[in-house]
Amino acid sequence: TDIDWGAFARALAPVEVINTPVLVKKRSRDFFWYSPILNAELKSCFGDLVARPRTPDEMRHVLAVAYAHDAPVVLRGGGTGNYGQAVPVNGGLIIETTAMNRVIEVGDGFVRAEAGALMADINAALIPQGREMAMFPSTQDIATVGGFVAGGSAGIGSVANGALRDPGNIIALKVQSLDATPREHLFEGVDTLHIHHAWGINGVITEVSLRTVPTRDWVGCMATFDRYEDAYAAGHALARDEAIACKLVSTADARICAYFPRLDGHIRKDRHLLVSLLPQEDVAAFRALITQEGGHVDLTLTEDERIEAKLPHVFDFSYNHTTLQVLKADRKATYQQVGCPAPPDPRAIARLRPQLGDDVWMHHEFARVGGQIVTFDLPIIWFSGRARLDQINAIYEDNGFPVHDAHTWRVEGGGLKTADYRHLAWKKRLDPKGLLNSAKSAAWDSVKHLSAAEIEALETAQ
Ligand code: FAD
């Protein structure tokens, strides 16, 4: 860009700016390096300047300055996304939200917080009042609630409470436009989906209201099985058992567990693992279920016992933390995101495993979608090139397991397989110059000359 960044920084005053090149570079990255493909494509993309507004008014000022200078803008919370969502592919301004971090209101069944609040801090504010977030990612110590709503989809709690997009989970969002005079819009109920999972391309979230649920005395549980399909079957039985109020159910292939050194001596070696979080009063029922499913209960730990034993949270072995445990030891590992046909069928998993080969190790998460239990696979893949990855994807898809590619930095490439024209119509309304993270949408260039109503009509036609 041919922007005078010195003048730009001065125009931002009194907003805090970061312009030390090494610090700007650090804030230009996220967890895209989980993918060797994304790593090659994104590792040299850096922003020019970072702004750190503290209040909605400061945010408005930053956006007005960006508009006046035609500066590309990328929002950044904790920078824990896995697809380069927060990488400034076109350079420009990075707006870090972490100084806008107040928990504003703990209400009846909801919490309202500024977008830059860390999810661990929100949970810490809720737990003394007997509540907790309905779901949160295992990155809660460094990830923001605004980043979760803009870039995430589900997490710990989703086996009970569904995905973020399910009705009632996102209650309201306050969103600022990137305009000459930035305006604030309130999206409520299903309208929040116009902004959710849009990767910050169509508005700047300043405040989030999310559903909360009663907190419980959670017990971290681990069980092991001789066969992977038995762990998977037990996971399904556990997730759908109405008498056991789990908030997490995950299974991991025994070969993955060899990369969990902190569990040495706590779980049986060379066995397939099931991890879960469930209330203290349901532990006896959990034990009975595992025995009935042919497994072995290795560990049940209350939070106090876990701290005493110096063990990690069970959720450090779930979702993308599982991948991280392997990556810590060997950077040749990567992963993929694969949907599984519903209802979960252990026989289909048993048929698929040998077809995949020794370089693909399954790991399943259980979640509730529309009231039904579904699973998705986040396998460890030993990366040996794009051609083999394509082959692995094809094996999954030929067996009826849809791949939601984790190795693309376009919003339409992963979870959303086609363009979301409602997202793009709102981009036209709230970001008329197309400055917000525009490189991330492959479809934007082909619709940006249309009116918002014309873009929206494409959604109906699709
Ligand atoms: P960032 O990475 O900073 O941003 C994410 C996206 O949101 C970017 O496109 C950014 O531009 C945009 N954005 C950020 N703030 C705003 C704002 N205020 N307004 C508009 N746009 C904004 N994800 C899950 O959904 N579930 C999981 O269980 C999960 N587990 C994970 C485990 C590991 C180990 C890792 C590395 C990642 C995991 N993720 C998971 C992905 C990621 O951690 C979460 O989505 C997280 O909530 C992102 O928050 P963040 O603050 O780091 O967002």
Side-chain angles (χ1 to χ4, degrees), residues 31 34 74-82 85-86 97 115 119 137-139 143-144 146-148 150-155 199-200 203-205 319-321 437:
F31 279 63
Y34 274 36
V74 172
L75 268 294
R76 178 183 181 85
T80 62
N82 290 110
Q85 292 110 303
T97 62
M119 286 175 279
S138 56
T139 46
T144 64
F148 187 42
S153 49
W199 294 15
V204 176
I205 304 170
Y319 284 88
N320 243 339
H321 248 95
N437 213 5

Side-chain angles (χ1 to χ4, degrees), residues 149-342:
V149 167
S153 49
I156 297 137
S158 285
V159 71
N161 305 315
L164 264 176
R165 67 175 173 276
D166 286 333
N169 284 333
I170 307 176
I171 294 167
L173 300 174
K174 279 189 188 163
V175 178
Q176 288 187 10
S177 60
L178 205 172
D179 247 325
T181 316
R183 294 154 292 145
E184 184 180 275
H185 288 255
L186 177 66
F187 292 84
E188 291 180 289
V190 289
D191 288 346
T192 59
L193 300 183
H194 299 323
I195 302 296
H196 167 48
H197 209 80
W199 294 15
I201 66 166
N202 66 359
V204 176
I205 304 170
T206 53
E207 199 180 290
V208 164
S209 298
L210 293 181
R211 174 186 168 203
T212 63
V213 295
T215 189
R216 311 285 293 263
D217 284 330
W218 296 111
V219 177
C221 298
M222 296 197 179
T224 47
F225 293 81
D226 291 344
R227 297 192 311 169
Y228 188 74
E229 54 268 35
D230 294 341
Y232 183 84
H236 186 211
L238 181 60
R240 67 171 189 265
D241 193 323
E242 304 272 316
I244 307 178
C246 307
K247 75 166 174 181
L248 175 72
V249 178
S250 324
T251 54
D253 186 290
R255 292 166 292 182
I256 299 178
C257 304
Y259 288 84
F260 299 166
R262 294 190 67 189
L263 297 180
D264 276 356
H266 296 282
I267 59 170
R268 295 190 302 163
K269 264 191 177 321
D270 303 326
R271 301 298 205 290
H272 305 283
L273 179 66
L274 178 151
V275 305
S276 185
L277 265 170
L278 43 98
Q280 176 95 64
E281 52 273 34
D282 297 346
V283 172
F286 168 79
R287 288 184 177 281
L289 182 145
I290 295 299
T291 307
Q292 194 184 339
E293 297 288 327
H296 176 271
V297 176
D298 297 78
L299 204 63
T300 64
L301 285 178
T302 63
E303 190 55 10
D304 289 345
E305 288 166 345
R306 180 188 74 76
I307 293 165
E308 174 78 29
K310 297 194 169 63
L311 282 173
H313 285 288
V314 286
F315 53 67
D316 284 7
F317 307 99
S318 72
Y319 284 88
N320 243 339
H321 248 95
T322 310
T323 321
L324 182 59
Q325 306 295 356
V326 181
L327 275 165
K328 276 185 203 162
D330 194 336
R331 286 286 185 103
K332 284 197 297 297
T334 187
Y335 78 117
Q336 188 52 295
Q337 307 172 137
V338 186
C340 302

Side-chain angles (χ1 to χ4, degrees), residues 59 108 192 293 341 358 375 414 427:
M59 179 67 91
D108 188 11
T192 59
E293 297 288 327
D358 291 339
T375 66
K427 181 171 177 63

